[in-house]
Amino acid sequence: MDYQEALSYLNELNKFGTRLGLDRIKRLVELLDEPQLKYKTIHVTGTNGKGSVCAMISGIIHQSGIKTGLYISPHLFSYTERIQIDGAPVSKAAFANCIGVVKTFADQMIDEGMESPTQFEVLTAAAFLCFAVNKVEYAVIEVGLGGLFDSTNVVLPEVSVITNIAFEHAAFCGGTLEGIAHHKAGIIKDGIPVVTDAKGMTLDILHQEAAEKNTDLFIEDTDFQAQFLSYDGSRQYIAFASNILGVKEEFALNLLGDHQVRNGALAIMTAYLLANDERRITAESARVALENVRWPGRFEKFDINNKRIIIDGAHNPAGILMLRQNLDKYFPDEQRVFVLGILKDKAVAVMLKTLLRPNDIVIATEPDSPRMADPSEWAQNLDIKYVQVETDRQAALTKAMALTQEGCLLCLTGSLYLIGELRHILCEIKENEKRNI
């Protein structure tokens, strides 16, 4: 199977949609000889921030001289981004080979009378297999949806991490915030420590689950915390402290935003817990990793053609609120120009009200998804300085770039489907700039 054949197969699996449950993935990894148990894992769930936390944790482990896998979703531009080893996406050939092997056993499952695995289950099994074949020592595994019945929930982690818990994917997770919390708590395993930033009622649910599983729960702001110290125009500096650990350290963090201070605390605490049994992980390796960590499309800075650009995959109300807060913190006075595309199953009106100021400029466009919200519908209700609908995404970016004059800030946001494509265009522009220097 080559890469295009792998993509065609994955596209065919889309017809099965999202089907939570562990029966299919358990049989699939059984046929693959349980690859997910051949290395140590860190399992990460949460509503927002889990991708950033995964990037930080995997970066720390890799910086410690340990061969490290990272499984994330969704991707921004290429499926290979979902399966990374030592900070780099696997090759298209390696990706296709693993998908091909998994397909063989998925077909066997169908012959046995079972349902076909979903696309996400096939991708998850392929990631597990790829890490085993390449003999990684640790793999950081991001939950796709919820936790309890997510196909990643067949790992036996060294540490489980639960970031914040907010109202999202309710249709798949019980319909209430309480139900969502129970699904996130589903990754808690017997005796495996848990690091979390949950609050209030959702934290109470994690406490209950941790007590039942006889595991230690390490809570941000109670057992450990991080505080913003300063910003040098490139990185932010944070102070991490934990009375339980007897630790107080300062770190430079290459990811910006108040939420990344909290995410950084989760990653650092996780690293310290891992270091109890893994001597190669040190405060110094964490320090070097965090000052260089990158998480594409999450308040990511670009400077192209003397224009300042922020790319942020804020795709729900909580993410949009964080984006607005960070724009106000780092760019309080700049004229803002947005390329904005949103999915219709999100709280569109809430997101727009949260993000936009009266003086903002918006080029409204269509994310590359059948779930996209029609920009001609939501844009007509905006009471801002200037708004224009441009359904062609590349044309929308071109128009926004032209409107981003000196002293302005361009922000691309609203949907990961949108920013992945636009980010790829900007990367090509940046490469061309380098060639012409």
Side-chain angles (χ1 to χ4, degrees), residues 109-164:
M109 288 171 57
I110 295 170
D111 291 341
E112 292 172 352
M114 293 190 69
E115 291 181 322
S116 169
T118 65
Q119 185 195 82
F120 188 73
E121 288 164 347
V122 166
L123 284 164
T124 301
F128 292 158
L129 175 63
C130 189
F131 297 149
V133 168
N134 285 278
K135 293 181 169 54
V136 305
E137 295 181 74
Y138 284 78
V140 181
I141 308 296
E142 180 186 0
V143 165
L145 194 157
L148 179 63
F149 298 121
D150 185 79
S151 61
T152 63
N153 204 23
V154 291
V155 298
L156 184 61
E158 304 298 302
V159 180
S160 300
V161 182
I162 303 174
T163 62
N164 65 338

Side-chain angles (χ1 to χ4, degrees), residues 55-347:
M56 291 188 223
I57 294 172
S58 64
I60 292 169
I61 299 172
H62 171 55
Q63 184 63 42
S64 302
I66 300 168
K67 193 167 188 178
T68 309
L70 173 63
Y71 177 53
I72 58 172
S73 62
H75 59 275
L76 288 181
F77 189 75
S78 169
Y79 270 98
T80 59
E81 298 166 21
R82 297 189 181 215
I83 306 174
Q84 301 184 25
I85 296 177
D86 287 341
V90 297
S91 68
K92 291 182 177 179
F95 180 90
N97 286 339
C98 288
I99 293 292
V101 173
V102 172
K103 181 182 184 302
T104 299
F105 292 109
D107 291 343
Q108 179 177 331
M109 288 171 57
I110 295 170
D111 291 341
E112 292 172 352
M114 293 190 69
E115 291 181 322
S116 169
T118 65
Q119 185 195 82
F120 188 73
E121 288 164 347
V122 166
L123 284 164
T124 301
F128 292 158
L129 175 63
C130 189
F131 297 149
V133 168
N134 285 278
K135 293 181 169 54
V136 305
E137 295 181 74
Y138 284 78
V140 181
I141 308 296
E142 180 186 0
V143 165
L145 194 157
L148 179 63
F149 298 121
D150 185 79
S151 61
T152 63
N153 204 23
V154 291
V155 298
L156 184 61
E158 304 298 302
V159 180
S160 300
V161 182
I162 303 174
T163 62
N164 65 338
I165 301 176
F167 197 81
E168 189 179 41
H169 300 307
F172 296 100
C173 299
T176 64
L177 185 58
E178 182 178 5
I180 293 167
H182 279 293
H183 273 259
K184 306 290 187 190
I187 73 165
I188 297 176
K189 306 291 194 302
D190 290 342
I192 305 299
V194 180
V195 179
T196 187
D197 187 27
K199 299 286 184 291
M201 174 270 291
T202 62
L203 178 59
D204 293 339
I205 290 172
L206 299 192
H207 268 298
Q208 295 167 12
E209 188 70 21
E212 291 177 9
K213 297 291 178 65
N214 193 31
T215 190
D216 293 324
L217 192 63
F218 296 92
I219 305 163
E220 190 157 10
D221 293 332
T222 299
D223 300 310
F224 65 97
Q225 57 277 319
Q227 180 182 2
F228 171 80
L229 296 176
S230 62
Y231 170 60
D232 67 3
S234 176
R235 296 183 177 94
Q236 61 178 333
Y237 293 81
I238 64 174
F240 174 85
S242 171
N243 290 332
I244 286 179
L245 298 175
V247 168
K248 192 171 184 180
E249 295 276 355
E250 293 185 7
F251 297 87
L253 183 55
N254 198 40
L255 302 179
L256 299 183
D258 292 340
H259 63 299
Q260 297 295 13
V261 176
R262 303 190 68 83
N263 291 337
L266 291 168
I268 295 165
M269 186 66 188
T270 301
Y272 272 108
L273 293 178
L274 291 172
N276 287 332
D277 296 315
E278 179 52 78
R279 293 181 177 273
R280 289 175 290 179
I281 297 176
T282 65
E284 183 57 29
S285 61
R287 185 170 288 107
V288 174
L290 293 180
E291 69 183 18
N292 293 290
V293 66
R294 297 181 70 248
W295 187 228
R298 278 71 170 186
F299 211 75
E300 183 181 12
K301 296 179 296 180
F302 267 75
D303 291 303
I304 295 177
N305 296 333
N306 298 317
K307 300 181 189 295
R308 290 181 300 172
I309 305 171
I310 292 291
I311 306 175
D312 194 285
H315 58 281
N316 57 30
I320 282 288
L321 176 60
M322 281 187 265
L323 172 59
R324 172 63 188 270
Q325 291 172 342
N326 290 328
L327 290 173
D328 289 348
K329 177 176 182 176
Y330 297 106
F331 307 100
D333 302 320
E334 284 83 346
Q335 168 70 66
R336 298 173 191 172
V337 180
F338 290 92
V339 177
L340 188 56
I342 307 175
L343 300 185
K344 63 185 177 184
D345 55 1
K346 306 297 181 179

Side-chain angles (χ1 to χ4, degrees), residues 411-424:
C411 182
L412 318 179
T413 190
S415 166
L416 290 171
Y417 293 97
L418 174 66
I419 68 159
E421 180 178 347
L422 298 185
R423 183 182 184 277
H424 181 72

